[in-house]
Amino acid sequence: GAGVSQSPSNKVTEKGKDVELRCDPISGHTALYWYRQRLGQGLEFLIYFQGNSAPDKSGLPSDRFSAERTGESVSTLTIQRTQQEDSAVYLCASSPLVYGDQPQHFGDGTRLSIL
Amino acid sequence: DAKTTQPPSMDCAEGRAANLPCNHSTISGNEYVYWYRQIHSQGPQYIIHGLKNNETNEMASLIITEDRKSSTLILPHATLRDTAVYYCIVRVRSGGYNKLIFGAGTRLAVHP
């Protein structure tokens, strides 16, 4: 079946521009997560969605970062006034249930490069 | 939060078993151990998870010590395609949901 899909796969933009990153989770998955991975490093948690609500936004680095989810499906991560330190791979994951030991399934990420 | 410690890198000959260790000495009783791997330019791929008992699936086996302070991921017959960074993660329960904390992982190189 279809896995987690992210678009675009690559995005190059100039410093100061806004970007939108999209995540299509596995159908029926209630929980959705965004992570960031800088070059050569592990994953940093950004935000978690339970349905369309985001009970944990604690990982968002600044108020330039925001995310939403609609229809308990697609999620969009928006970065305003991008900075060079925002360059990273942004990964989305989903899991069937909020509770329990269900593993998270990841997309292949959006590689964001800020010039 | 329970932290994990893994060796930064390991080598393995193709066809041999790869045994990847992980220490998680501060793990709590209700925390699961998860293993993921990440092949270059791809998202992390779930491999296996366990709580107390040893687990096996089509990809790997997970051996957890009786005191739960460490575990070993075993790839029984490593292939070149198993070359990846392997992450051992203790799932943090926060407000009832699961936030994965990834460390640096172990870079496994499988060679002919």
Side-chain angles (χ1 to χ4, degrees):
Chain A
V4 176
S5 177
Q6 292 188 246
S7 60
S9 54
N10 286 282
K11 177 73 176 179
V12 181
T13 192
E14 293 179 349
K15 176 181 171 181
K17 301 285 189 183
D18 298 351
V19 295
E20 281 191 356
L21 312 179
R22 177 187 170 107
C23 173
D24 286 86
I26 294 172
S27 178
H29 279 197
T30 303
L32 186 148
Y33 304 78
W34 283 96
Y35 295 86
R36 177 170 73 176
Q37 186 172 33
R38 290 201 164 106
L39 187 64
Q41 299 185 19
L43 275 68
E44 302 171 62
F45 167 82
L46 296 178
I47 187 170
Y48 153 73
F49 284 93
Q50 176 180 331
N52 293 334
S53 301
D56 188 350
K57 307 177 183 180
S58 63
L60 294 179
S62 73
D63 59 7
R64 296 186 296 105
F65 287 72
S66 62
E68 66 173 12
R69 189 179 184 195
T70 57
E72 300 197 356
S73 180
V74 173
S75 178
T76 302
L77 177 69
T78 301
I79 309 173
Q80 296 178 307
R81 306 181 303 281
T82 52
Q83 304 293 316
Q84 287 187 330
E85 64 262 26
D86 299 335
S87 295
V89 177
Y90 290 82
L91 290 153
C92 175
S94 69
S95 65
L97 297 171
V98 173
Y99 303 100
D101 62 338
Q102 301 291 326
Q104 295 177 25
H105 298 272
F106 285 81
D108 284 336
T110 294
R111 183 174 302 274
L112 178 64
S113 300
I114 309 300
L115 301 179
Chain B
D1 299 352
K3 291 176 64 175
T4 62
T5 304
Q6 298 177 255
S9 63
M10 294 183 64
D11 287 326
C12 180
E14 189 177 20
R16 304 297 292 268
N19 297 291
L20 292 91
C22 179
N23 287 324
H24 31 79
S25 58
T26 60
I27 192 170
S28 299
N30 63 346
E31 290 179 323
Y32 285 78
V33 179
Y34 283 76
W35 283 83
Y36 284 77
R37 72 180 182 184
Q38 190 170 24
I39 296 168
H40 183 61
S41 297
Q42 296 181 19
Q45 177 189 23
Y46 165 76
I47 302 173
I48 199 168
H49 73 284
L51 182 64
K52 296 179 188 176
N53 300 321
N54 298 337
E55 302 287 345
T56 296
N57 63 19
E58 64 279 4
M59 289 182 69
S61 294
L62 174 61
I63 308 298
I64 302 174
T65 57
E66 193 169 340
D67 62 8
R68 302 188 69 239
K69 293 184 177 182
S70 65
S71 60
T72 301
L73 178 74
I74 301 172
L75 307 178
H77 305 286
T79 70
L80 298 178
R81 278 184 270 185
D82 291 323
T83 292
V85 178
Y86 287 77
Y87 295 98
C88 167
I89 299 158
V90 174
R91 191 187 63 181
V92 175
R93 304 215 73 171
S94 176
Y97 63 94
N98 310 313
K99 182 191 299 187
L100 298 181
I101 308 295
F102 283 70
T106 295
R107 187 172 299 276
L108 176 68
V110 181
H111 51 83

